[in-house]
Amino acid sequence: MSDTVFLTGASGFIAKHIIVELLNAGYQVRGSVRSLKRSDEVRAAVSPLLESVEGLDERLTFVALDLGKDDGWDGVMDGCSALLHTASPFPLQQPKSDDEIIKPAVEGTLRALKAAQAAGIKRVVLTSSAVAVMYGDLPAGKAMYDEDDWSEDFHPTQNPYGRSKTRAERAAWDFVASDAPNMRLTTINPVLVTGPALDGNYGTSLQVIERIYSGKDPMQPRFGIPVVDVRDVAAMHVKALSTPESEGMRILATEGFLWMADMARLIKDAHPNQGIKDRVAPDFLIKLMGLFDQDVRTIIPQLGQPKRVSNARAKEVFGMTFIPAAESILASAETIAANS
């Protein structure tokens, strides 16, 4: 197999794992980065996990692209057989204005899809998110969110990042339906992605685990989130390319739900000298903190409310056996410890 896959956001936490999966499966990869200075960083990160590094400079190449600009997209995907669009803005803190994150997410997705269409690419896999699924009320009698659910823009649990992922995914499906009917789209919708980073450049991806590991908070809120390992998310992207049944589907990536206090206990047991706090904070204290901390404020409507997400479709379509959430959390903590 010598097909070339175009991968946006190639220096990202998930994307580096996808590169490993693609190269080991025999694909060639053309990755986009905002600056070509990051090319060597990505090659160095993925090399230890490759079955062969022979001819790596030819098998893994890079182009400089900015999702927020029109410049540079003409012809950039020529000769590629598929697009994996992983790049999307992820804020360290909630933005002051929705447009700061929603507009770049939607416009960046459409730029990538239009470039793929111009290059004659028919197969596209888009990294969406479970936040495009699980920020809404479940119908009576339904216990878990699944791929039929869409997040509501102004649900009490929603935030600008969630709106950006929801609108970008909807824009992708709308584009395919109206402008590119021959394009075969699959979206992978992961929950909180944890697990090992391939180097120290993992951006905001492990922010939740870093916050616990740092001991920043004296107690943990009565808040939890579904978790999936980055290695499984990467595998699902690559499996989609060779699984025609996945075309036209949204597919959730999730292993299981964990409360923040449970995550803290796992990490505390593995790193007993780190001063990690695993006591559960009373809800009134979190609500008080929310008056001064916008990030805390966004979780208040979800206190004590477990978000259960189905992985039945991933198991059925891809035959996935997921890495346990606890194992993935500990792998994240090891990454953070190694880079502290």
Side-chain angles (χ1 to χ4, degrees):
M1 183 187 304
S2 59
D3 288 357
T4 299
V5 174
F6 194 93
L7 176 70
T8 65
S11 61
F13 173 54
I14 296 173
K16 286 171 183 168
H17 282 273
I18 292 175
I19 290 171
V20 170
E21 292 280 337
L22 286 170
L23 293 175
N24 283 342
Y27 294 96
Q28 296 187 38
V29 179
R30 188 182 305 165
S32 78
V33 286
R34 293 192 70 174
S35 170
L36 290 177
K37 293 178 181 178
R38 301 200 69 178
S39 304
D40 290 340
E41 167 205 316
V42 177
R43 285 198 184 93
V46 304
S47 292
L49 295 182
L50 297 180
E51 294 170 3
S52 170
V53 294
E54 184 177 352
L56 184 58
D57 286 351
E58 290 75 40
R59 295 161 55 209
L60 175 59
T61 58
F62 297 93
V63 295
L65 276 180
D66 187 336
L67 283 177
K69 298 179 180 178
D70 291 328
D71 299 342
W73 289 90
D74 289 347
V76 76
M77 298 186 196
D78 288 353
C80 294
S81 61
L83 164 66
L84 267 59
H85 180 51
T86 74
S88 184
F90 189 105
L92 187 61
Q93 296 178 324
Q94 293 299 327
K96 295 178 181 178
S97 165
D98 279 15
D99 280 347
E100 289 180 33
I101 183 171
I102 292 174
K103 187 176 179 181
V106 172
E107 292 183 353
T109 295
L110 292 176
R111 281 190 181 93
L113 291 176
K114 289 174 182 177
Q117 183 185 40
I121 291 174
K122 299 291 194 296
R123 189 68 178 106
V124 176
V125 181
L126 169 70
T127 310
S128 184
S129 173
V131 300
V133 172
M134 62 185 192
Y135 288 152
D137 295 325
L138 283 172
K142 187 173 183 179
M144 304 179 82
Y145 293 91
D146 62 29
E147 289 84 358
D148 291 332
D149 297 304
W150 279 92
S151 292
E152 301 168 18
D153 257 8
F154 296 101
H155 192 268
T157 61
Q158 186 59 284
N159 59 42
Y161 174 69
R163 281 191 281 277
S164 78
K165 296 300 287 187
T166 304
R167 293 192 194 178
E169 186 187 341
R170 283 196 180 277
W173 288 114
D174 289 346
F175 176 81
V176 170
S178 61
D179 296 292
N182 293 325
M183 193 171 278
R184 306 185 304 276
L185 175 64
T186 300
T187 65
I188 305 298
N189 297 64
V191 292
L192 176 67
V193 182
T194 56
L198 297 188
D199 59 14
N201 298 308
Y202 47 84
T204 58
S205 300
L206 300 182
Q207 183 181 27
V208 172
I209 310 304
E210 282 184 313
R211 185 162 184 151
I212 295 172
Y213 184 86
S214 70
K216 174 182 178 180
D217 301 308
M219 290 182 279
Q220 302 301 328
R222 224 166 40 100
F223 171 76
I225 193 165
V227 173
V228 68
D229 193 272
V230 64
R231 292 162 288 188
D232 288 333
V233 176
M236 288 175 64
H237 281 75
V238 179
K239 284 177 181 289
L241 295 178
S242 58
T243 309
E245 296 89 337
S246 69
E247 294 170 4
M249 285 185 174
R250 312 171 80 202
I251 305 180
L252 284 158
T254 179
E255 195 282 322
F257 176 91
L258 286 173
W259 294 103
M260 293 282 287
D262 292 333
M263 296 183 197
R265 289 184 193 107
L266 285 166
I267 300 169
K268 182 178 181 179
D269 287 346
H271 302 270
N273 299 321
Q274 189 59 29
I276 293 162
K277 318 297 193 304
D278 61 357
R279 289 179 58 199
V280 179
D283 290 353
F284 79 85
L285 181 59
I286 299 301
K287 292 174 182 177
L288 182 63
M289 291 172 61
L291 297 175
F292 309 98
D293 188 327
Q294 187 178 2
D295 292 328
V296 172
R297 195 179 313 146
T298 62
I299 71 168
I300 290 173
Q302 303 174 67
L303 292 174
Q305 303 293 321
K307 292 272 190 180
R308 311 285 182 188
V309 180
S310 173
N311 60 14
R313 181 173 289 181
K315 289 180 175 180
E316 179 183 351
V317 175
F318 293 143
M320 292 297 298
T321 301
F322 287 96
I323 295 166
E327 180 181 330
S328 187
I329 294 294
L330 290 175
S332 295
E334 289 300 323
T335 287
I336 293 163
N339 290 282
S340 295

